[in-house]
Amino acid sequence: MVKPREETVATAPSDAHAPGSAEYAAGRQGRSTEPTEEDLALFVGKKADEYLVFWKEDRRWNWPAFLFGGYWMLYRGMYLYLLLYLVAMSFMVNIVRAIMFPVYYFSGDVVVAVLIANVVLQAIFALIANKIYLHHARRKIRALNSRLANFPEIREERIAATGETSLYIPIALAVLPVLIGIVATLFYSVYVYKEINEEIRYRQDSSMVQPYLQVT
């Protein structure tokens, strides 16, 4: 006896896992947004091998961060962290000065205390700079991975461009105070020159008037 053929009905995939659903997007993001070692290498650029070793071996000291401080952060494009760094450094230096010298007055001791506090704070910053840079790189890469998950080639270009370093801004900000000082000196020199000429003219006029007054 021949059994009747059973018809099989193909079941559609669950809507919860269909492309475009929230679950699908969440699963895709969970797989793609976390930065890989290749992503970090693209972001860092030329010094990638060095920084990857720092992060793998948890090395803490960063000489460029110690020597250049905020300029190193500008070079690495860490503008938000630079703002936090400037606020924290200013706050801490003023706290140290207020503790050591409650009554403010300008003296050599105050200058030495502020310089020592600055060096100590720079050393502390150098010890955490690698962690800060890694946090910055991961945050930027996650954002790009989330937006460009379906465009790997564009994603890689954007990661490299976002992590690109630049010397123009640090050099410009380093030279700017010097230029301001030069311009201020020139203006002050012109002002002093005018004051001297006025004084000379006044004395000449006084010397011409004095004999006339004596005669009269």
Side-chain angles (χ1 to χ4, degrees), residues 192-209:
V192 171
Y193 176 76
K194 287 183 177 179
E195 288 293 317
I196 292 173
N197 281 339
E198 288 292 332
E199 183 66 21
I200 293 172
R201 190 177 297 110
Y202 173 77
R203 292 189 179 186
Q204 287 176 345
D205 293 342
S206 299
S207 62
M208 293 175 64
V209 171

Side-chain angles (χ1 to χ4, degrees), residues 13-130:
S14 173
D15 291 339
H17 300 287
S21 66
E23 288 81 359
Y24 178 84
R28 189 173 185 83
Q29 282 189 348
R31 293 193 302 271
S32 63
T33 58
E34 193 63 27
T36 63
E37 188 172 309
E38 289 76 13
D39 292 339
L40 291 171
L42 280 172
F43 187 88
V44 175
K46 295 178 183 179
K47 296 279 188 176
D49 293 338
E50 181 178 338
Y51 276 100
L52 288 175
V53 171
F54 286 169
W55 295 331
K56 283 181 181 178
E57 299 180 0
D58 197 22
R59 295 187 189 177
R60 296 182 180 275
W61 187 259
N62 187 310
W63 274 111
F66 176 72
L67 296 174
F68 302 107
Y71 292 106
W72 171 76
M73 302 179 89
L74 279 173
Y75 174 70
R76 289 287 169 188
M78 302 163 64
Y79 306 117
L80 173 62
Y81 300 88
L82 172 66
L83 178 61
L84 298 175
Y85 163 86
L86 293 175
V87 171
M89 287 288 286
S90 176
F91 179 75
M92 294 302 297
V93 167
N94 280 285
I95 288 291
V96 170
R97 184 202 57 76
I99 292 173
M100 296 185 66
F101 303 95
V103 179
Y104 179 77
Y105 59 93
F106 185 80
S107 68
D109 293 338
V110 174
V111 173
V112 171
V114 170
L115 288 176
I116 292 174
N118 226 339
V119 171
V120 171
L121 291 173
Q122 279 292 104
I124 294 172
F125 170 65
L127 288 171
I128 62 174
N130 290 333

Side-chain angles (χ1 to χ4, degrees), residues 139-157:
R139 184 173 63 86
K140 291 290 188 179
I141 293 170
R142 284 193 191 104
L144 291 171
N145 284 346
S146 177
R147 293 200 305 266
L148 302 172
N150 297 325
F151 308 96
E153 293 182 359
I154 299 176
R155 183 185 65 85
E156 291 179 1
E157 291 178 2

